[in-house]
mmCIF file of all heavy atoms in Angstrom:
data_model
loop_
_atom_site.group_PDB
_atom_site.id
_atom_site.type_symbol
_atom_site.label_atom_id
_atom_site.label_comp_id
_atom_site.label_asym_id
_atom_site.label_seq_id
_atom_site.Cartn_x
_atom_site.Cartn_y
_atom_site.Cartn_z
ATOM 1 N N GLU A 1 11.992 -5.029 2.759
ATOM 2 C CA GLU A 1 10.662 -4.638 2.304
ATOM 3 C C GLU A 1 10.041 -5.727 1.444
ATOM 4 O O GLU A 1 10.682 -6.259 0.539
ATOM 5 C CB GLU A 1 10.744 -3.328 1.515
ATOM 6 C CG GLU A 1 9.406 -2.796 1.061
ATOM 7 C CD GLU A 1 9.539 -1.470 0.316
ATOM 8 O OE1 GLU A 1 10.670 -1.087 -0.024
ATOM 9 O OE2 GLU A 1 8.502 -0.837 0.058
ATOM 10 N N VAL A 2 8.792 -6.054 1.729
ATOM 11 C CA VAL A 2 7.978 -6.927 0.895
ATOM 12 C C VAL A 2 6.856 -6.063 0.334
ATOM 13 O O VAL A 2 6.187 -5.347 1.089
ATOM 14 C CB VAL A 2 7.400 -8.104 1.711
ATOM 15 C CG1 VAL A 2 6.425 -8.919 0.872
ATOM 16 C CG2 VAL A 2 8.523 -8.976 2.243
ATOM 17 N N PHE A 3 6.660 -6.108 -0.992
ATOM 18 C CA PHE A 3 5.672 -5.193 -1.569
ATOM 19 C C PHE A 3 4.781 -5.884 -2.584
ATOM 20 O O PHE A 3 5.094 -6.945 -3.132
ATOM 21 C CB PHE A 3 6.349 -3.963 -2.193
ATOM 22 C CG PHE A 3 7.264 -4.262 -3.354
ATOM 23 C CD1 PHE A 3 6.775 -4.582 -4.621
ATOM 24 C CD2 PHE A 3 8.642 -4.198 -3.188
ATOM 25 C CE1 PHE A 3 7.621 -4.835 -5.686
ATOM 26 C CE2 PHE A 3 9.510 -4.463 -4.250
ATOM 27 C CZ PHE A 3 8.993 -4.783 -5.503
ATOM 28 N N LEU A 4 3.653 -5.219 -2.831
ATOM 29 C CA LEU A 4 2.642 -5.636 -3.795
ATOM 30 C C LEU A 4 2.094 -4.366 -4.415
ATOM 31 O O LEU A 4 1.702 -3.445 -3.692
ATOM 32 C CB LEU A 4 1.526 -6.405 -3.080
ATOM 33 C CG LEU A 4 0.202 -6.620 -3.823
ATOM 34 C CD1 LEU A 4 0.357 -7.745 -4.846
ATOM 35 C CD2 LEU A 4 -0.913 -6.990 -2.819
ATOM 36 N N TYR A 5 2.071 -4.291 -5.762
ATOM 37 C CA TYR A 5 1.507 -3.082 -6.369
ATOM 38 C C TYR A 5 0.890 -3.383 -7.726
ATOM 39 O O TYR A 5 1.150 -4.419 -8.332
ATOM 40 C CB TYR A 5 2.547 -1.966 -6.478
ATOM 41 C CG TYR A 5 3.619 -2.131 -7.540
ATOM 42 C CD1 TYR A 5 3.358 -1.849 -8.888
ATOM 43 C CD2 TYR A 5 4.914 -2.522 -7.198
ATOM 44 C CE1 TYR A 5 4.347 -1.968 -9.851
ATOM 45 C CE2 TYR A 5 5.910 -2.640 -8.150
ATOM 46 C CZ TYR A 5 5.620 -2.360 -9.483
ATOM 47 O OH TYR A 5 6.599 -2.488 -10.438
ATOM 48 N N GLN A 6 0.072 -2.431 -8.173
ATOM 49 C CA GLN A 6 -0.519 -2.483 -9.507
ATOM 50 C C GLN A 6 -0.618 -1.074 -10.062
ATOM 51 O O GLN A 6 -1.035 -0.142 -9.352
ATOM 52 C CB GLN A 6 -1.909 -3.122 -9.483
ATOM 53 C CG GLN A 6 -2.520 -3.259 -10.874
ATOM 54 C CD GLN A 6 -3.863 -3.967 -10.889
ATOM 55 O OE1 GLN A 6 -4.683 -3.754 -11.772
ATOM 56 N NE2 GLN A 6 -4.111 -4.843 -9.913
ATOM 57 N N ASP A 7 -0.249 -0.918 -11.343
ATOM 58 C CA ASP A 7 -0.400 0.352 -12.044
ATOM 59 C C ASP A 7 -1.698 0.338 -12.834
ATOM 60 O O ASP A 7 -2.035 -0.667 -13.478
ATOM 61 C CB ASP A 7 0.775 0.583 -12.997
ATOM 62 C CG ASP A 7 2.091 0.799 -12.273
ATOM 63 O OD1 ASP A 7 2.060 1.062 -11.060
ATOM 64 O OD2 ASP A 7 3.149 0.701 -12.917
ATOM 65 N N PHE A 8 -2.413 1.450 -12.802
ATOM 66 C CA PHE A 8 -3.693 1.543 -13.502
ATOM 67 C C PHE A 8 -4.020 3.014 -13.720
ATOM 68 O O PHE A 8 -3.275 3.905 -13.293
ATOM 69 C CB PHE A 8 -4.798 0.855 -12.697
ATOM 70 C CG PHE A 8 -5.092 1.516 -11.369
ATOM 71 C CD1 PHE A 8 -6.211 2.323 -11.210
ATOM 72 C CD2 PHE A 8 -4.245 1.342 -10.279
ATOM 73 C CE1 PHE A 8 -6.478 2.945 -9.996
ATOM 74 C CE2 PHE A 8 -4.504 1.946 -9.066
ATOM 75 C CZ PHE A 8 -5.615 2.751 -8.919
ATOM 76 N N THR A 9 -5.127 3.278 -14.403
ATOM 77 C CA THR A 9 -5.581 4.646 -14.630
ATOM 78 C C THR A 9 -6.800 4.928 -13.766
ATOM 79 O O THR A 9 -7.760 4.149 -13.774
ATOM 80 C CB THR A 9 -5.938 4.866 -16.111
ATOM 81 O OG1 THR A 9 -4.784 4.609 -16.917
ATOM 82 C CG2 THR A 9 -6.396 6.306 -16.351
ATOM 83 N N LEU A 10 -6.749 6.015 -13.014
ATOM 84 C CA LEU A 10 -7.883 6.378 -12.165
ATOM 85 C C LEU A 10 -9.061 6.806 -13.034
ATOM 86 O O LEU A 10 -8.920 7.705 -13.867
ATOM 87 C CB LEU A 10 -7.495 7.515 -11.224
ATOM 88 C CG LEU A 10 -6.493 7.143 -10.117
ATOM 89 C CD1 LEU A 10 -5.949 8.405 -9.463
ATOM 90 C CD2 LEU A 10 -7.141 6.247 -9.081
ATOM 91 N N PRO A 11 -10.221 6.193 -12.878
ATOM 92 C CA PRO A 11 -11.380 6.572 -13.687
ATOM 93 C C PRO A 11 -11.846 7.988 -13.362
ATOM 94 O O PRO A 11 -11.774 8.431 -12.212
ATOM 95 C CB PRO A 11 -12.448 5.549 -13.273
ATOM 96 C CG PRO A 11 -11.713 4.460 -12.582
ATOM 97 C CD PRO A 11 -10.515 5.089 -11.953
ATOM 98 N N VAL A 12 -12.320 8.681 -14.372
ATOM 99 C CA VAL A 12 -12.886 10.010 -14.164
ATOM 100 C C VAL A 12 -14.183 9.869 -13.367
ATOM 101 O O VAL A 12 -15.066 9.094 -13.729
ATOM 102 C CB VAL A 12 -13.156 10.710 -15.513
ATOM 103 C CG1 VAL A 12 -13.851 12.059 -15.296
ATOM 104 C CG2 VAL A 12 -11.860 10.899 -16.288
ATOM 105 N N GLY A 13 -14.271 10.576 -12.264
ATOM 106 C CA GLY A 13 -15.491 10.571 -11.463
ATOM 107 C C GLY A 13 -15.543 9.551 -10.351
ATOM 108 O O GLY A 13 -16.472 9.579 -9.538
ATOM 109 N N ALA A 14 -14.565 8.638 -10.279
ATOM 110 C CA ALA A 14 -14.570 7.655 -9.188
ATOM 111 C C ALA A 14 -14.294 8.374 -7.867
ATOM 112 O O ALA A 14 -13.291 9.079 -7.747
ATOM 113 C CB ALA A 14 -13.526 6.577 -9.428
ATOM 114 N N PRO A 15 -15.138 8.223 -6.868
ATOM 115 C CA PRO A 15 -14.977 8.993 -5.627
ATOM 116 C C PRO A 15 -13.909 8.466 -4.672
ATOM 117 O O PRO A 15 -13.350 9.234 -3.893
ATOM 118 C CB PRO A 15 -16.352 8.929 -4.983
ATOM 119 C CG PRO A 15 -16.950 7.663 -5.512
ATOM 120 C CD PRO A 15 -16.412 7.489 -6.905
ATOM 121 N N SER A 16 -13.621 7.151 -4.710
ATOM 122 C CA SER A 16 -12.696 6.617 -3.715
ATOM 123 C C SER A 16 -12.115 5.283 -4.162
ATOM 124 O O SER A 16 -12.640 4.612 -5.058
ATOM 125 C CB SER A 16 -13.399 6.441 -2.359
ATOM 126 O OG SER A 16 -14.437 5.488 -2.465
ATOM 127 N N LEU A 17 -11.022 4.923 -3.504
ATOM 128 C CA LEU A 17 -10.409 3.603 -3.646
ATOM 129 C C LEU A 17 -10.313 3.010 -2.251
ATOM 130 O O LEU A 17 -9.953 3.706 -1.299
ATOM 131 C CB LEU A 17 -9.025 3.712 -4.285
ATOM 132 C CG LEU A 17 -8.268 2.403 -4.541
ATOM 133 C CD1 LEU A 17 -7.381 2.539 -5.780
ATOM 134 C CD2 LEU A 17 -7.398 1.985 -3.350
ATOM 135 N N SER A 18 -10.627 1.735 -2.136
ATOM 136 C CA SER A 18 -10.623 1.112 -0.808
ATOM 137 C C SER A 18 -9.976 -0.261 -0.846
ATOM 138 O O SER A 18 -9.847 -0.885 -1.907
ATOM 139 C CB SER A 18 -12.048 1.008 -0.258
ATOM 140 O OG SER A 18 -12.836 0.152 -1.065
ATOM 141 N N PHE A 19 -9.558 -0.720 0.320
ATOM 142 C CA PHE A 19 -9.085 -2.086 0.491
ATOM 143 C C PHE A 19 -9.405 -2.508 1.914
ATOM 144 O O PHE A 19 -9.698 -1.672 2.777
ATOM 145 C CB PHE A 19 -7.579 -2.196 0.214
ATOM 146 C CG PHE A 19 -6.701 -1.509 1.228
ATOM 147 C CD1 PHE A 19 -6.181 -2.194 2.316
ATOM 148 C CD2 PHE A 19 -6.400 -0.156 1.100
ATOM 149 C CE1 PHE A 19 -5.376 -1.558 3.248
ATOM 150 C CE2 PHE A 19 -5.595 0.493 2.021
ATOM 151 C CZ PHE A 19 -5.072 -0.210 3.100
ATOM 152 N N THR A 20 -9.350 -3.801 2.153
ATOM 153 C CA THR A 20 -9.685 -4.339 3.472
ATOM 154 C C THR A 20 -8.498 -5.084 4.059
ATOM 155 O O THR A 20 -7.868 -5.901 3.376
ATOM 156 C CB THR A 20 -10.892 -5.289 3.380
ATOM 157 O OG1 THR A 20 -12.034 -4.552 2.932
ATOM 158 C CG2 THR A 20 -11.198 -5.921 4.736
ATOM 159 N N ILE A 21 -8.172 -4.767 5.313
ATOM 160 C CA ILE A 21 -7.221 -5.568 6.069
ATOM 161 C C ILE A 21 -8.025 -6.689 6.717
ATOM 162 O O ILE A 21 -8.807 -6.463 7.637
ATOM 163 C CB ILE A 21 -6.490 -4.734 7.140
ATOM 164 C CG1 ILE A 21 -5.688 -3.606 6.483
ATOM 165 C CG2 ILE A 21 -5.571 -5.628 7.954
ATOM 166 C CD1 ILE A 21 -4.977 -2.708 7.486
ATOM 167 N N ALA A 22 -7.838 -7.910 6.197
ATOM 168 C CA ALA A 22 -8.614 -9.041 6.687
ATOM 169 C C ALA A 22 -7.986 -9.683 7.913
ATOM 170 O O ALA A 22 -8.667 -10.357 8.689
ATOM 171 C CB ALA A 22 -8.773 -10.070 5.571
ATOM 172 N N GLY A 23 -6.687 -9.488 8.086
ATOM 173 C CA GLY A 23 -6.012 -10.063 9.236
ATOM 174 C C GLY A 23 -4.572 -9.608 9.292
ATOM 175 O O GLY A 23 -4.025 -9.110 8.300
ATOM 176 N N LEU A 24 -3.955 -9.757 10.443
ATOM 177 C CA LEU A 24 -2.539 -9.417 10.587
ATOM 178 C C LEU A 24 -1.951 -10.159 11.769
ATOM 179 O O LEU A 24 -2.653 -10.600 12.671
ATOM 180 C CB LEU A 24 -2.337 -7.907 10.728
ATOM 181 C CG LEU A 24 -3.115 -7.155 11.818
ATOM 182 C CD1 LEU A 24 -2.426 -7.248 13.163
ATOM 183 C CD2 LEU A 24 -3.265 -5.693 11.421
ATOM 184 N N THR A 25 -0.642 -10.295 11.735
ATOM 185 C CA THR A 25 0.091 -10.852 12.866
ATOM 186 C C THR A 25 1.202 -9.886 13.231
ATOM 187 O O THR A 25 1.795 -9.242 12.358
ATOM 188 C CB THR A 25 0.691 -12.226 12.537
ATOM 189 O OG1 THR A 25 1.560 -12.111 11.400
ATOM 190 C CG2 THR A 25 -0.404 -13.226 12.222
ATOM 191 N N SER A 26 1.441 -9.762 14.518
ATOM 192 C CA SER A 26 2.455 -8.848 15.020
ATOM 193 C C SER A 26 3.541 -9.630 15.726
ATOM 194 O O SER A 26 3.439 -10.844 15.930
ATOM 195 C CB SER A 26 1.829 -7.828 15.979
ATOM 196 O OG SER A 26 0.819 -7.089 15.341
ATOM 197 N N GLU A 27 4.600 -8.931 16.114
ATOM 198 C CA GLU A 27 5.676 -9.555 16.856
ATOM 199 C C GLU A 27 5.992 -8.707 18.079
ATOM 200 O O GLU A 27 5.416 -7.635 18.271
ATOM 201 C CB GLU A 27 6.916 -9.702 15.978
ATOM 202 C CG GLU A 27 7.513 -8.385 15.529
ATOM 203 C CD GLU A 27 8.772 -8.576 14.686
ATOM 204 O OE1 GLU A 27 8.908 -9.625 14.049
ATOM 205 O OE2 GLU A 27 9.613 -7.671 14.677
ATOM 206 N N SER A 28 6.924 -9.163 18.872
ATOM 207 C CA SER A 28 7.329 -8.376 20.026
ATOM 208 C C SER A 28 7.964 -7.077 19.568
ATOM 209 O O SER A 28 8.403 -6.947 18.428
ATOM 210 C CB SER A 28 8.308 -9.173 20.891
ATOM 211 O OG SER A 28 9.446 -9.540 20.129
ATOM 212 N N ASP A 29 8.023 -6.127 20.436
ATOM 213 C CA ASP A 29 8.491 -4.779 20.109
ATOM 214 C C ASP A 29 9.880 -4.809 19.476
ATOM 215 O O ASP A 29 10.744 -5.594 19.848
ATOM 216 C CB ASP A 29 8.528 -3.934 21.383
ATOM 217 C CG ASP A 29 8.543 -2.453 21.070
ATOM 218 O OD1 ASP A 29 8.552 -2.101 19.882
ATOM 219 O OD2 ASP A 29 8.529 -1.662 22.025
ATOM 220 N N GLY A 30 10.075 -3.924 18.478
ATOM 221 C CA GLY A 30 11.364 -3.806 17.814
ATOM 222 C C GLY A 30 11.740 -2.348 17.649
ATOM 223 O O GLY A 30 10.943 -1.455 17.892
ATOM 224 N N ASP A 31 12.967 -2.091 17.214
ATOM 225 C CA ASP A 31 13.439 -0.716 17.035
ATOM 226 C C ASP A 31 14.237 -0.626 15.739
ATOM 227 O O ASP A 31 15.405 -0.981 15.709
ATOM 228 C CB ASP A 31 14.313 -0.313 18.223
ATOM 229 C CG ASP A 31 14.785 1.147 18.108
ATOM 230 O OD1 ASP A 31 14.253 1.858 17.224
ATOM 231 O OD2 ASP A 31 15.661 1.537 18.877
ATOM 232 N N PRO A 32 13.618 -0.113 14.654
ATOM 233 C CA PRO A 32 12.209 0.300 14.550
ATOM 234 C C PRO A 32 11.295 -0.905 14.427
ATOM 235 O O PRO A 32 11.772 -2.003 14.150
ATOM 236 C CB PRO A 32 12.193 1.126 13.259
ATOM 237 C CG PRO A 32 13.258 0.499 12.420
ATOM 238 C CD PRO A 32 14.342 0.087 13.377
ATOM 239 N N PRO A 33 9.984 -0.718 14.617
ATOM 240 C CA PRO A 33 9.060 -1.845 14.554
ATOM 241 C C PRO A 33 8.792 -2.247 13.109
ATOM 242 O O PRO A 33 9.029 -1.478 12.178
ATOM 243 C CB PRO A 33 7.792 -1.280 15.195
ATOM 244 C CG PRO A 33 7.839 0.176 14.861
ATOM 245 C CD PRO A 33 9.295 0.543 14.934
ATOM 246 N N ASN A 34 8.293 -3.449 12.921
ATOM 247 C CA ASN A 34 7.745 -3.810 11.624
ATOM 248 C C ASN A 34 6.513 -2.947 11.372
ATOM 249 O O ASN A 34 5.831 -2.529 12.310
ATOM 250 C CB ASN A 34 7.364 -5.289 11.587
ATOM 251 C CG ASN A 34 8.578 -6.194 11.699
ATOM 252 O OD1 ASN A 34 9.709 -5.746 11.526
ATOM 253 N ND2 ASN A 34 8.352 -7.454 11.987
ATOM 254 N N ALA A 35 6.230 -2.688 10.112
ATOM 255 C CA ALA A 35 5.119 -1.792 9.807
ATOM 256 C C ALA A 35 4.526 -2.114 8.447
ATOM 257 O O ALA A 35 5.185 -2.680 7.578
ATOM 258 C CB ALA A 35 5.585 -0.341 9.844
ATOM 259 N N PHE A 36 3.260 -1.739 8.286
ATOM 260 C CA PHE A 36 2.533 -1.896 7.026
ATOM 261 C C PHE A 36 2.127 -0.510 6.534
ATOM 262 O O PHE A 36 1.798 0.369 7.323
ATOM 263 C CB PHE A 36 1.278 -2.750 7.233
ATOM 264 C CG PHE A 36 0.287 -2.667 6.103
ATOM 265 C CD1 PHE A 36 0.532 -3.329 4.907
ATOM 266 C CD2 PHE A 36 -0.862 -1.903 6.231
ATOM 267 C CE1 PHE A 36 -0.371 -3.242 3.853
ATOM 268 C CE2 PHE A 36 -1.774 -1.816 5.184
ATOM 269 C CZ PHE A 36 -1.522 -2.491 3.996
ATOM 270 N N GLY A 37 2.155 -0.318 5.229
ATOM 271 C CA GLY A 37 1.714 0.949 4.674
ATOM 272 C C GLY A 37 1.046 0.776 3.332
ATOM 273 O O GLY A 37 1.346 -0.169 2.580
ATOM 274 N N ALA A 38 0.123 1.687 3.009
ATOM 275 C CA ALA A 38 -0.561 1.719 1.719
ATOM 276 C C ALA A 38 -0.374 3.106 1.118
ATOM 277 O O ALA A 38 -0.598 4.117 1.797
ATOM 278 C CB ALA A 38 -2.046 1.408 1.886
ATOM 279 N N ALA A 39 0.028 3.163 -0.143
ATOM 280 C CA ALA A 39 0.283 4.435 -0.810
ATOM 281 C C ALA A 39 -0.383 4.441 -2.180
ATOM 282 O O ALA A 39 -0.534 3.390 -2.824
ATOM 283 C CB ALA A 39 1.786 4.668 -0.959
ATOM 284 N N LEU A 40 -0.775 5.617 -2.629
ATOM 285 C CA LEU A 40 -1.282 5.821 -3.987
ATOM 286 C C LEU A 40 -0.381 6.871 -4.623
ATOM 287 O O LEU A 40 -0.458 8.051 -4.282
ATOM 288 C CB LEU A 40 -2.738 6.288 -3.966
ATOM 289 C CG LEU A 40 -3.425 6.369 -5.338
ATOM 290 C CD1 LEU A 40 -3.598 4.964 -5.929
ATOM 291 C CD2 LEU A 40 -4.779 7.067 -5.239
ATOM 292 N N ILE A 41 0.484 6.435 -5.532
ATOM 293 C CA ILE A 41 1.542 7.297 -6.031
ATOM 294 C C ILE A 41 1.535 7.364 -7.551
ATOM 295 O O ILE A 41 0.925 6.533 -8.233
ATOM 296 C CB ILE A 41 2.927 6.809 -5.550
ATOM 297 C CG1 ILE A 41 3.206 5.390 -6.068
ATOM 298 C CG2 ILE A 41 3.008 6.859 -4.030
ATOM 299 C CD1 ILE A 41 4.585 4.870 -5.731
ATOM 300 N N ASP A 42 2.236 8.373 -8.075
ATOM 301 C CA ASP A 42 2.505 8.462 -9.501
ATOM 302 C C ASP A 42 3.550 7.397 -9.836
ATOM 303 O O ASP A 42 4.623 7.367 -9.223
ATOM 304 C CB ASP A 42 3.027 9.858 -9.833
ATOM 305 C CG ASP A 42 3.230 10.077 -11.330
ATOM 306 O OD1 ASP A 42 3.931 9.254 -11.961
ATOM 307 O OD2 ASP A 42 2.723 11.076 -11.859
ATOM 308 N N PRO A 43 3.292 6.512 -10.813
ATOM 309 C CA PRO A 43 4.246 5.433 -11.088
ATOM 310 C C PRO A 43 5.605 5.913 -11.585
ATOM 311 O O PRO A 43 6.597 5.196 -11.435
ATOM 312 C CB PRO A 43 3.542 4.608 -12.176
ATOM 313 C CG PRO A 43 2.104 4.977 -12.087
ATOM 314 C CD PRO A 43 2.078 6.406 -11.627
ATOM 315 N N LEU A 44 5.668 7.094 -12.173
ATOM 316 C CA LEU A 44 6.923 7.581 -12.730
ATOM 317 C C LEU A 44 7.746 8.385 -11.733
ATOM 318 O O LEU A 44 8.972 8.335 -11.749
ATOM 319 C CB LEU A 44 6.651 8.431 -13.975
ATOM 320 C CG LEU A 44 6.046 7.677 -15.166
ATOM 321 C CD1 LEU A 44 5.806 8.627 -16.335
ATOM 322 C CD2 LEU A 44 6.935 6.517 -15.593
ATOM 323 N N THR A 45 7.081 9.127 -10.855
ATOM 324 C CA THR A 45 7.805 9.996 -9.925
ATOM 325 C C THR A 45 7.835 9.460 -8.500
ATOM 326 O O THR A 45 8.627 9.931 -7.680
ATOM 327 C CB THR A 45 7.177 11.396 -9.895
ATOM 328 O OG1 THR A 45 5.856 11.302 -9.327
ATOM 329 C CG2 THR A 45 7.085 11.989 -11.298
ATOM 330 N N SER A 46 6.969 8.510 -8.181
ATOM 331 C CA SER A 46 6.789 7.982 -6.824
ATOM 332 C C SER A 46 6.252 9.020 -5.852
ATOM 333 O O SER A 46 6.275 8.812 -4.639
ATOM 334 C CB SER A 46 8.093 7.379 -6.270
ATOM 335 O OG SER A 46 8.362 6.147 -6.880
#
């Protein structure tokens, strides 16, 4: 696993959080395949 994260406080009243996938590269089929994921979690409980 390769990861990137930041802990912060969600502002009161903010309607959404967004990010952009600007590009990606894939490989030939695997079992299981490589995969990307984005999560918004509690930093203490995950």
